[in-house]
Each structure stands twice: as C-alpha cells, then as structure tokens.
Amino acid sequence: GQKNTLFIGMQLLMALSPAEMRSVLAHEFGHLSKNHSKFSGWIYRVRQSWNRVMLAFGSSSSFGAKLMRRFFDWDAPTFSAYSFALARNNEYEADKISAELTSPKIAARALINVHVNAPYIDQHFWDEYFIKADTSSAPEKAPFEALADFLKSSPLSREKMLHFLKQEMQVETHYSDTHPALKERISGLTDQAIIPKAFETSAAEAFLGKQYPQVLKDFDKQWIENNLERWKSRFEYVQQNQALLARHENSDISELNDD
C-alpha cells in the first residue's frame, strides 16, 4: 500500500493561527485525497517522489547512480512537462478543498499569511539573528526560542502586512512554477478583500499544548548541534579578516598584492 508522510515546518506552525494551519493541512490532504481523483493524486505523488529520488542520486558517485541519473535526466523532465498543467490545476483543486473544509476567508487568510510572513521573518528575524555570528562566537539565544519571543514581541504590523502583500500581489504566475501566483489563488477563493487578523495563540501553541516549550527546546538543541561549528567558523573568519584590514588600513593600495 501507499504511505504518505507530511512534514510540517515548526516556523509555519508558529506563524499561523490554528484555523489558518488547519486550512494549510486541508490543502495538503486535498492533494492526497481521493476527492482529488486517484489519477491526480498519483501524479502529485510521482512528481514529489521523483524530486526526492533525483536529489538522492545527484549526491552519489556510484556507477549505478550514474546510470539512474541518465534515465532520470531523460525521463523526469518529459514527465514533468506533460504533467505540468494537471499539477497546476491540482493547486486550485486543493485550495477548493481547503476552503470547503474551513472557509474561503480562512483559506485566503492562510495563503496571505504564508506569503507575507516568510519575507517578514527572513528580513526582520533571521537576517538579524545570523549577522550576530560576525561579533559573537556563539548564539546569545537559541533560534526557535528567540523566534517565539520575536513573534510575540514584534508581530507583523498592519503597515508591514500591506507592504509585503502589495509586493506579493504584483507577482505574476511564472510558466515554470506549478503554484499559481497569490493573486490568482485568492481570486479563485473569494472576491472579497482579505486582510489576516492578529491572533493570541499560534497553531504551535494550540496543537502542541503543554509539549510546546519542550518541542522548542528539542528543536533548538538539534539546531545548535548541527550549526554551532559553522557559526564559530564564521566568527573566526570575520575576526581574522577584520584584523587583516586593520593592519593594512593605512597602506598604500599600490603596495598591496591581490591577497
């Protein structure tokens, strides 16, 4: 039989309301459900599976992997091209299922929040978080705990919401992307102007309950284990180069070699 596993990003859980997250889940289950037609569901699974297989073979240098890469290099683009229109139509169908299981307004709010929260968090949290590696040998605060504090203390304001939303609504659907542009997906759900509402409890807090603080700690522990050495390397690199620049601050440029 077929077994499907859905991975949910922790940041997404933290950035959406429970109702909006249910809408996102409904969209994903819509892709996999029989309501989406067995054939469409099969197309969706095969496209996702081949992406993972190609990624796995791409990192292997074995003889067998090279043979498989030759096959996939020929077959996968052909399959992808022939199934592209159906895959794009599947996105509209999954949006429709999401709206039926929640509501058109909630589905639209979820789509908008997904599109506007990502650049907001990237620019105002992650960029500022990682720049600290230039001046500190270790993070002052673990990232997911810090992100939770950031979302509570600096929620996306209406002004910034409208700024990012205006940018996203100007994006046109690209011929190489199976996901239609935000404005087309919103218009497929409702003809009303939708602005996401502020919420007190995130989907992460609602779904995880008392386990939420421990889950944050587990994510932070894993992140530190995976990234601390690279953080230290960045710090050492910056410190060494700042010292190098300081030594040559008053040098005549004509006397310096390329290094």
Side-chain angles (χ1 to χ4, degrees):
Q2 180 72 41
K3 179 181 179 181
N4 297 293
T5 303
L6 178 64
F7 290 87
I8 305 170
M10 187 63 184
Q11 177 174 300
L12 187 65
L13 279 171
M14 298 166 72
L16 298 183
S17 71
E20 291 164 354
M21 192 65 218
R22 290 189 188 95
S23 176
V24 172
L25 293 174
H27 174 96
E28 297 305 326
F29 286 130
H31 278 304
L32 302 172
S33 71
K34 291 181 181 178
N35 290 337
H36 204 145
S37 86
K38 291 183 178 180
F39 180 66
S40 295
W42 177 79
I43 290 289
Y44 178 78
R45 292 186 185 94
V46 171
R47 289 176 68 93
Q48 297 298 103
S49 297
W50 278 16
N51 285 337
R52 290 193 293 270
V53 171
M54 291 179 71
L55 183 64
F57 281 124
S59 59
S60 175
S61 59
S62 68
F63 176 73
K66 291 179 181 178
L67 287 178
M68 292 301 293
R69 273 202 302 272
R70 289 184 63 185
F71 168 74
F72 279 110
D73 286 346
W74 163 76
D75 197 50
T78 304
F79 177 83
S80 181
Y82 273 98
S83 61
F84 181 90
L86 181 58
R88 177 171 288 178
N89 188 63
N90 285 351
E91 294 301 326
Y92 288 114
E93 183 67 22
D95 283 346
K96 181 181 178 182
I97 292 171
S98 174
E100 290 174 354
L101 294 178
T102 55
S103 76
K105 284 187 177 181
I106 291 175
R109 286 208 309 261
L111 279 172
I112 292 172
N113 254 335
V114 167
H115 279 79
V116 303
N117 267 299
Y120 172 66
I121 293 173
D122 283 346
Q123 294 176 23
H124 295 275
F125 176 75
W126 288 115
D127 285 354
E128 295 183 15
Y129 186 84
F130 285 122
I131 199 66
K132 294 175 183 176
D134 290 0
T135 56
S136 177
S137 60
E140 297 176 3
K141 200 169 190 177
F144 286 96
E145 181 186 356
L147 177 58
D149 292 343
F150 170 79
L151 292 173
K152 289 291 185 183
S153 62
S154 305
L156 183 59
S157 66
R158 181 181 176 84
E159 182 182 1
K160 285 191 172 72
M161 165 74 72
L162 294 174
H163 168 73
F164 286 117
L165 180 56
K166 182 179 179 181
Q167 290 182 332
E168 289 295 332
M169 294 299 277
Q170 291 174 344
V171 175
E172 300 291 339
T173 298
H174 197 268
Y175 65 84
S176 65
D177 192 354
T178 57
H179 284 73
L182 176 63
K183 65 179 179 181
E184 294 186 13
R185 296 178 71 180
I186 296 299
S187 64
L189 290 169
T190 178
D191 56 2
Q192 299 179 6
I194 302 294
I195 299 295
K197 299 178 181 178
F199 53 85
E200 291 293 328
T201 302
S202 70
E205 293 169 313
F207 292 177
L208 298 173
K210 294 180 179 179
Q211 295 181 350
Y212 175 63
Q214 185 59 49
V215 171
L216 284 184
K217 290 180 181 178
D218 291 342
F219 268 78
D220 281 333
K221 180 181 178 182
Q222 185 181 52
W223 191 94
I224 293 296
E225 289 174 353
N226 292 339
N227 295 284
L228 185 58
E229 287 304 315
R230 279 184 287 180
W231 184 288
K232 290 180 178 178
S233 296
R234 170 66 185 179
F235 173 73
E236 293 170 358
Y237 168 81
V238 171
Q239 298 307 306
Q240 290 170 2
N241 280 279
Q242 285 181 340
L244 181 63
L245 288 171
R247 287 201 302 272
H248 295 286
E249 184 176 7
N250 298 317
S251 299
D252 184 342
I253 291 180
S254 63
E255 298 176 356
L256 298 179
N257 59 30
D258 290 343
D259 290 337

PDB file of all heavy atoms in Angstrom, residues 188-201:
ATOM      1  N   GLY A 188      -9.459  32.879  -6.856  1.00  0.00           N
ATOM      2  CA  GLY A 188     -10.153  31.615  -7.020  1.00  0.00           C
ATOM      3  C   GLY A 188     -10.936  31.209  -5.786  1.00  0.00           C
ATOM      4  O   GLY A 188     -11.796  30.327  -5.850  1.00  0.00           O
ATOM      5  N   LEU A 189     -10.641  31.856  -4.660  1.00  0.00           N
ATOM      6  CA  LEU A 189     -11.316  31.533  -3.400  1.00  0.00           C
ATOM      7  C   LEU A 189     -12.421  32.515  -3.052  1.00  0.00           C
ATOM      8  O   LEU A 189     -13.489  32.129  -2.573  1.00  0.00           O
ATOM      9  CB  LEU A 189     -10.289  31.506  -2.255  1.00  0.00           C
ATOM     10  CG  LEU A 189      -9.283  30.357  -2.251  1.00  0.00           C
ATOM     11  CD1 LEU A 189      -8.176  30.629  -1.226  1.00  0.00           C
ATOM     12  CD2 LEU A 189      -9.979  29.038  -1.925  1.00  0.00           C
ATOM     13  N   THR A 190     -12.171  33.809  -3.258  1.00  0.00           N
ATOM     14  CA  THR A 190     -13.136  34.826  -2.840  1.00  0.00           C
ATOM     15  C   THR A 190     -12.925  36.105  -3.640  1.00  0.00           C
ATOM     16  O   THR A 190     -11.814  36.367  -4.122  1.00  0.00           O
ATOM     17  CB  THR A 190     -12.992  35.131  -1.336  1.00  0.00           C
ATOM     18  OG1 THR A 190     -13.912  36.149  -0.963  1.00  0.00           O
ATOM     19  CG2 THR A 190     -11.584  35.586  -1.006  1.00  0.00           C
ATOM     20  N   ASP A 191     -13.987  36.890  -3.765  1.00  0.00           N
ATOM     21  CA  ASP A 191     -13.874  38.186  -4.432  1.00  0.00           C
ATOM     22  C   ASP A 191     -13.829  39.325  -3.433  1.00  0.00           C
ATOM     23  O   ASP A 191     -13.906  40.503  -3.798  1.00  0.00           O
ATOM     24  CB  ASP A 191     -15.044  38.404  -5.402  1.00  0.00           C
ATOM     25  CG  ASP A 191     -16.408  38.282  -4.722  1.00  0.00           C
ATOM     26  OD1 ASP A 191     -16.439  38.066  -3.491  1.00  0.00           O
ATOM     27  OD2 ASP A 191     -17.431  38.398  -5.421  1.00  0.00           O
ATOM     28  N   GLN A 192     -13.696  38.984  -2.148  1.00  0.00           N
ATOM     29  CA  GLN A 192     -13.628  39.986  -1.099  1.00  0.00           C
ATOM     30  C   GLN A 192     -12.175  40.308  -0.754  1.00  0.00           C
ATOM     31  O   GLN A 192     -11.280  39.482  -0.926  1.00  0.00           O
ATOM     32  CB  GLN A 192     -14.346  39.495   0.160  1.00  0.00           C
ATOM     33  CG  GLN A 192     -15.830  39.219  -0.043  1.00  0.00           C
ATOM     34  CD  GLN A 192     -16.485  38.721   1.232  1.00  0.00           C
ATOM     35  OE1 GLN A 192     -15.877  38.688   2.281  1.00  0.00           O
ATOM     36  NE2 GLN A 192     -17.760  38.338   1.135  1.00  0.00           N
ATOM     37  N   ALA A 193     -11.963  41.531  -0.270  1.00  0.00           N
ATOM     38  CA  ALA A 193     -10.632  41.922   0.205  1.00  0.00           C
ATOM     39  C   ALA A 193     -10.374  41.256   1.555  1.00  0.00           C
ATOM     40  O   ALA A 193     -11.172  41.398   2.484  1.00  0.00           O
ATOM     41  CB  ALA A 193     -10.536  43.433   0.329  1.00  0.00           C
ATOM     42  N   ILE A 194      -9.291  40.526   1.645  1.00  0.00           N
ATOM     43  CA  ILE A 194      -8.978  39.767   2.857  1.00  0.00           C
ATOM     44  C   ILE A 194      -7.679  40.277   3.472  1.00  0.00           C
ATOM     45  O   ILE A 194      -6.657  40.366   2.790  1.00  0.00           O
ATOM     46  CB  ILE A 194      -8.839  38.261   2.557  1.00  0.00           C
ATOM     47  CG1 ILE A 194     -10.123  37.712   1.938  1.00  0.00           C
ATOM     48  CG2 ILE A 194      -8.474  37.494   3.818  1.00  0.00           C
ATOM     49  CD1 ILE A 194     -11.314  37.719   2.852  1.00  0.00           C
ATOM     50  N   ILE A 195      -7.723  40.636   4.746  1.00  0.00           N
ATOM     51  CA  ILE A 195      -6.530  41.003   5.499  1.00  0.00           C
ATOM     52  C   ILE A 195      -6.470  40.092   6.727  1.00  0.00           C
ATOM     53  O   ILE A 195      -7.410  40.064   7.524  1.00  0.00           O
ATOM     54  CB  ILE A 195      -6.559  42.474   5.960  1.00  0.00           C
ATOM     55  CG1 ILE A 195      -6.623  43.411   4.752  1.00  0.00           C
ATOM     56  CG2 ILE A 195      -5.334  42.787   6.820  1.00  0.00           C
ATOM     57  CD1 ILE A 195      -5.409  43.367   3.866  1.00  0.00           C
ATOM     58  N   PRO A 196      -5.403  39.307   6.896  1.00  0.00           N
ATOM     59  CA  PRO A 196      -5.313  38.407   8.049  1.00  0.00           C
ATOM     60  C   PRO A 196      -5.434  39.158   9.369  1.00  0.00           C
ATOM     61  O   PRO A 196      -4.981  40.295   9.500  1.00  0.00           O
ATOM     62  CB  PRO A 196      -3.920  37.784   7.887  1.00  0.00           C
ATOM     63  CG  PRO A 196      -3.651  37.854   6.418  1.00  0.00           C
ATOM     64  CD  PRO A 196      -4.275  39.145   5.968  1.00  0.00           C
ATOM     65  N   LYS A 197      -6.045  38.505  10.347  1.00  0.00           N
ATOM     66  CA  LYS A 197      -6.250  39.095  11.658  1.00  0.00           C
ATOM     67  C   LYS A 197      -5.124  38.687  12.604  1.00  0.00           C
ATOM     68  O   LYS A 197      -4.529  37.620  12.466  1.00  0.00           O
ATOM     69  CB  LYS A 197      -7.586  38.646  12.232  1.00  0.00           C
ATOM     70  CG  LYS A 197      -8.796  39.045  11.411  1.00  0.00           C
ATOM     71  CD  LYS A 197     -10.075  38.503  12.035  1.00  0.00           C
ATOM     72  CE  LYS A 197     -11.297  38.880  11.205  1.00  0.00           C
ATOM     73  NZ  LYS A 197     -12.546  38.314  11.800  1.00  0.00           N
ATOM     74  N   ALA A 198      -4.843  39.544  13.583  1.00  0.00           N
ATOM     75  CA  ALA A 198      -3.876  39.189  14.629  1.00  0.00           C
ATOM     76  C   ALA A 198      -4.487  38.090  15.501  1.00  0.00           C
ATOM     77  O   ALA A 198      -5.709  37.989  15.633  1.00  0.00           O
ATOM     78  CB  ALA A 198      -3.541  40.410  15.469  1.00  0.00           C
ATOM     79  N   PHE A 199      -3.633  37.240  16.073  1.00  0.00           N
ATOM     80  CA  PHE A 199      -4.131  36.172  16.931  1.00  0.00           C
ATOM     81  C   PHE A 199      -3.250  36.053  18.170  1.00  0.00           C
ATOM     82  O   PHE A 199      -2.058  36.367  18.141  1.00  0.00           O
ATOM     83  CB  PHE A 199      -4.178  34.839  16.179  1.00  0.00           C
ATOM     84  CG  PHE A 199      -2.874  34.445  15.515  1.00  0.00           C
ATOM     85  CD1 PHE A 199      -1.878  33.788  16.209  1.00  0.00           C
ATOM     86  CD2 PHE A 199      -2.652  34.745  14.173  1.00  0.00           C
ATOM     87  CE1 PHE A 199      -0.681  33.433  15.604  1.00  0.00           C
ATOM     88  CE2 PHE A 199      -1.457  34.402  13.546  1.00  0.00           C
ATOM     89  CZ  PHE A 199      -0.474  33.732  14.265  1.00  0.00           C
ATOM     90  N   GLU A 200      -3.840  35.613  19.252  1.00  0.00           N
ATOM     91  CA  GLU A 200      -3.124  35.476  20.525  1.00  0.00           C
ATOM     92  C   GLU A 200      -2.389  34.146  20.621  1.00  0.00           C
ATOM     93  O   GLU A 200      -1.280  34.065  21.147  1.00  0.00           O
ATOM     94  CB  GLU A 200      -4.109  35.600  21.693  1.00  0.00           C
ATOM     95  CG  GLU A 200      -4.697  36.999  21.865  1.00  0.00           C
ATOM     96  CD  GLU A 200      -3.645  38.016  22.284  1.00  0.00           C
ATOM     97  OE1 GLU A 200      -2.694  37.622  23.008  1.00  0.00           O
ATOM     98  OE2 GLU A 200      -3.761  39.189  21.880  1.00  0.00           O
ATOM     99  N   THR A 201      -3.011  33.080  20.115  1.00  0.00           N
ATOM    100  CA  THR A 201      -2.457  31.735  20.246  1.00  0.00           C
ATOM    101  C   THR A 201      -2.080  31.197  18.874  1.00  0.00           C
ATOM    102  O   THR A 201      -2.910  31.178  17.960  1.00  0.00           O
ATOM    103  CB  THR A 201      -3.482  30.789  20.897  1.00  0.00           C
ATOM    104  OG1 THR A 201      -3.858  31.313  22.170  1.00  0.00           O
ATOM    105  CG2 THR A 201      -2.882  29.401  21.093  1.00  0.00           C
TER     106      THR A 201
END
